[in-house]
Amino acid sequence: MITIKMMIKKIVCVVVLVMISAISFGQELKCKKFKTGTFIIPGDSIVPQSTLKRNKTSQFESISAKVFMDLDITWTDDCNYVLTIKEGTPEEDISEVEKLIEEGGGLRIQMLKTVKDTMYFRAIATIKGTDYPTDGKQIKISKKY
């Protein structure tokens, strides 16, 4: 026969195991570490590698010596921000896709996971009411900007 004392012990054991599991496998985002600095986004066969320089209010993104973007950052919380084209950017420097993303409220970035000097993110562009998410990573190469 199971006594109340034995049931309480079992419940306590289950709760402790769940807590240990949550602590061991839970991901603690270290978003503040990625708010400023210099980063690279590794390229692939479709998109070339780019370099980002970010401070708390703006981001300068360079894909090549001739292709770059100067962007404003609006932080929605410590781990999420929105990139918009800096006011005063010449119209001819903004592609049609970039104009559509801007019309949709900018590019929303969600930090998903941080591991050492790498931040995994999801970038979401809203174009004509449809969300287009893309996952990627940024590797911090310098604390200075």
Side-chain angles (χ1 to χ4, degrees), residues 56-112:
K56 290 184 180 179
T57 60
S58 63
Q59 177 170 298
F60 182 80
E61 185 168 347
S62 170
I63 297 171
S64 70
K66 295 181 181 180
V67 179
F68 58 87
M69 286 295 296
D70 204 1
L71 304 161
D72 285 323
I73 296 176
T74 303
W75 290 92
T76 55
D77 59 40
D78 278 343
C79 297
N80 297 285
Y81 57 96
V82 178
L83 295 170
T84 52
I85 298 170
K86 209 172 255 309
E87 192 173 320
T89 300
E91 190 77 18
E92 62 272 9
D93 291 348
I94 306 170
S95 72
E96 290 306 312
V97 171
E98 291 165 341
K99 289 176 185 176
L100 290 170
I101 293 170
E102 194 75 6
E103 288 172 13
L107 187 64
R108 299 184 317 275
I109 308 295
Q110 301 171 341
M111 295 185 194
L112 303 174

Side-chain angles (χ1 to χ4, degrees), residues 13-24:
C13 284
V14 169
V15 170
V16 168
L17 287 174
V18 168
M19 290 178 71
I20 289 172
S21 176
I23 291 168
S24 298

Side-chain angles (χ1 to χ4, degrees), residues 1-143:
M1 179 175 233
I2 298 179
T3 66
I4 293 179
K5 211 176 204 183
M6 288 174 64
M7 284 179 56
I8 291 173
K9 281 184 182 181
K10 285 183 180 184
I11 291 171
V12 169
C13 284
V14 169
V15 170
V16 168
L17 287 174
V18 168
M19 290 178 71
I20 289 172
S21 176
I23 291 168
S24 298
F25 299 107
Q27 167 67 36
E28 180 185 337
L29 288 175
K30 294 184 174 129
C31 299
K32 288 182 182 183
K33 177 179 180 178
F34 294 92
K35 279 191 163 185
T36 61
T38 302
F39 309 84
I40 59 168
I41 297 178
D44 57 28
S45 61
I46 300 169
V47 180
Q49 176 175 301
S50 60
T51 302
L52 311 174
K53 292 184 179 185
R54 179 168 51 238
N55 65 32
K56 290 184 180 179
T57 60
S58 63
Q59 177 170 298
F60 182 80
E61 185 168 347
S62 170
I63 297 171
S64 70
K66 295 181 181 180
V67 179
F68 58 87
M69 286 295 296
D70 204 1
L71 304 161
D72 285 323
I73 296 176
T74 303
W75 290 92
T76 55
D77 59 40
D78 278 343
C79 297
N80 297 285
Y81 57 96
V82 178
L83 295 170
T84 52
I85 298 170
K86 209 172 255 309
E87 192 173 320
T89 300
E91 190 77 18
E92 62 272 9
D93 291 348
I94 306 170
S95 72
E96 290 306 312
V97 171
E98 291 165 341
K99 289 176 185 176
L100 290 170
I101 293 170
E102 194 75 6
E103 288 172 13
L107 187 64
R108 299 184 317 275
I109 308 295
Q110 301 171 341
M111 295 185 194
L112 303 174
K113 179 171 90 171
T114 59
V115 179
K116 297 183 183 180
D117 286 337
T118 302
M119 180 262 288
Y120 297 86
F121 67 90
R122 177 166 293 136
I124 303 168
T126 301
I127 298 175
K128 296 185 178 183
T130 302
D131 285 348
Y132 296 92
T134 303
D135 291 349
K137 67 181 176 181
Q138 296 178 11
I139 302 166
K140 190 167 192 172
I141 58 173
S142 171
K143 295 177 183 179

